[in-house]
Amino acid sequence: MNKKNTIIHVILTGGIGSRLWPLSQYLEIFEGKSLFELTVERNSDIADKVIVVGNVDNCHLSRKILEKTNTPYLDIVETTPRNTAAAIAFSAFAADPEDILIVTPMDHIIEKKDLYDTAVAEAIEKAANGYIVTFGIVPTKPETGYGYIEYKGENVLSFREKPNLVTAKGFIAKKNFLWNSGMFCFKASVLLDELKHFKPKVYKKAKIAWENNDRGKLDLELSLDIPSISVDYAVMERSKKIKVIPSQFLWSDLGSFESVYDYLVSKGHPIDENGNMTIGTQNYTAFIGLKNTILIATDNANLVLQKEYSQDVKDLYNELEIEKPELLE
């Protein structure tokens, strides 16, 4: 009888979150919990342990929550961002070859947990049989902010970039497209074999960086040698071992303030009669002559924006990188 595969939940926290500056994904604004804590909690009854792939700026925040929740974990600290292929490779090198990894970003909100658990159980079964599983979300509208997966049954026909509105409407009409959630499940050895086959340089350089880690912290010079490429381009769009699970659980990628606003409103977060909202402050705030405006307050910066301009926050972030980098720490 085969021994049960160890299930490891890999949480990717290394993204800079430029569209949500200055909001921290560790801010406890989601019914008293942070996005990170919700992500840990969601998988705590599925996974045997947790691997967090983070960066030098947020690893202490992750540790604090994992220790508060008594979650056994391994910390992998990237000293420079090298995209998701390298981040996922580090976690696979840190695991045993037969371990099954469930990879999730930290900035997702998922509801209908029973449907989520069903999808994950199916993914684990496929992963144990040597497949790399991606979770596709049955779309509820022609969303232009997500990538799409064209599929037939459990087979992926193609991955598509974020579409314009006309293309997105066409995808919905065809009924064989799913939102690409960016969540995966696979056996550590299978992912590494595919990465080695399709992107040998990423595999080799990531392996060297991992083998020279210092208590989970990666060397900067060795990390800079790793080509920066997403796991989608490196493996998912090339491998013949990919399966997709069309999933019905409620999913949203809180990648912009508009999506955060809509989610918080759905949960009863207060807004005034003109749709204005505050995040991160209990101070009395009055909005005069403004509609659908969000005030985000943190210890060192405030942001005021109309929610339909949410995508422009990234431009501000890019300016601050040059002019006031201390505000991004």
Side-chain angles (χ1 to χ4, degrees):
M1 186 176 174
N2 292 336
K3 96 173 177 62
K4 176 181 166 287
N5 300 82
T6 298
I7 311 296
I8 300 176
H9 178 206
V10 178
I11 308 175
L12 305 179
T13 73
I16 50 176
S18 55
R19 290 175 297 167
L20 289 179
W21 181 87
L23 184 64
S24 165
Q25 290 156 330
Y26 297 89
L27 202 60
E28 296 176 341
I29 60 169
F30 300 95
E31 297 172 333
K33 293 177 181 173
S34 66
L35 279 173
F36 182 80
E37 188 170 350
L38 290 175
T39 303
V40 172
E41 202 176 68
R42 181 181 312 127
N43 295 278
S44 61
D45 55 346
I46 299 164
D48 301 300
K49 56 184 173 183
V50 169
I51 293 177
V52 179
V53 188
N55 57 47
V56 285
D57 296 325
N58 68 16
C59 60
H60 63 289
L61 298 167
S62 300
R63 283 182 201 130
K64 193 172 166 187
I65 289 168
L66 290 161
E67 281 157 13
K68 180 181 100 174
T69 54
N70 293 318
T71 305
Y73 70 95
L74 170 68
D75 222 358
I76 298 175
V77 182
E78 294 184 297
T79 42
T80 181
R82 302 318 283 160
N83 216 314
T84 52
I88 289 171
F90 298 141
S91 62
F93 285 127
D96 288 333
E98 291 297 300
D99 290 348
I100 290 175
L101 277 52
I102 302 165
V103 179
T104 71
M106 70 177 281
D107 54 358
H108 292 176
I109 286 283
I110 289 173
E111 296 178 272
K112 297 202 173 176
K113 180 146 170 19
D114 56 331
L115 296 176
Y116 175 77
D117 289 348
T118 300
V120 170
E122 188 182 339
I124 289 169
E125 189 179 327
K126 290 187 192 305
N129 289 321
Y131 293 107
I132 297 172
V133 181
T134 181
F135 294 82
I137 311 298
V138 176
T140 54
K141 59 179 179 177
E143 174 62 61
T144 59
Y146 303 150
Y148 284 73
I149 299 169
E150 183 183 11
Y151 76 109
K152 185 174 184 180
E154 61 176 20
N155 296 314
V156 174
L157 301 179
S158 69
F159 287 89
R160 303 293 184 91
E161 294 293 317
K162 294 173 183 176
N164 61 30
L165 187 57
V166 173
T167 305
K169 285 180 176 174
F171 289 169
I172 301 296
K174 286 182 179 171
K175 295 191 177 351
N176 70 323
F177 283 84
L178 303 164
W179 287 336
N180 187 354
S181 72
M183 293 164 43
F184 310 105
C185 183
F186 48 78
K187 206 182 279 187
S189 57
V190 173
L191 187 281
L192 289 174
D193 286 347
E194 293 296 270
L195 182 63
K196 188 177 185 178
H197 178 65
F198 292 113
K199 286 291 174 184
K201 189 175 180 184
V202 176
Y203 173 90
K204 182 182 172 187
K205 298 292 186 180
K207 190 169 192 280
I208 291 168
W210 173 248
E211 286 171 347
N212 288 278
N213 80 82
D214 178 14
R215 288 172 296 178
K217 187 174 181 181
L218 301 165
D219 179 81
L220 177 58
E221 293 302 316
L222 293 175
S223 297
L224 287 168
D225 276 348
I226 306 168
S228 180
I229 185 171
S230 74
V231 75
D232 287 311
Y233 289 139
V235 175
M236 300 298 158
E237 295 184 9
R238 300 163 182 259
S239 174
K240 299 286 185 277
K241 296 183 177 179
I242 308 297
K243 296 292 181 186
V244 64
I245 293 179
S247 307
Q248 297 277 359
F249 53 82
L250 297 180
W251 171 88
S252 56
D253 170 4
L254 297 191
S256 73
F257 277 113
E258 188 159 18
S259 58
V260 171
Y261 177 101
D262 292 344
Y263 175 77
L264 289 176
V265 167
S266 78
K267 290 296 179 183
H269 190 94
I271 53 174
D272 71 11
E273 66 274 17
N274 292 313
N276 301 305
M277 173 188 287
T278 61
I279 296 175
T281 178
Q282 299 300 315
N283 291 346
Y284 171 76
T285 305
F287 296 86
I288 298 175
L290 298 170
K291 287 187 173 181
N292 297 327
T293 297
I294 314 170
L295 164 68
I296 300 98
T298 70
D299 289 343
N300 65 346
N302 296 329
L303 176 67
V304 181
L305 80 155
Q306 287 188 292
K307 72 171 180 140
E308 55 268 34
Y309 290 92
S310 289
Q311 296 300 332
D312 294 351
V313 176
K314 193 169 188 175
D315 298 332
L316 170 63
Y317 186 98
N318 293 339
E319 286 172 27
L320 291 173
E321 273 190 309
I322 298 161
E323 295 169 15
K324 289 185 180 291
E326 67 277 7
L327 288 177
L328 308 182
E329 292 174 1

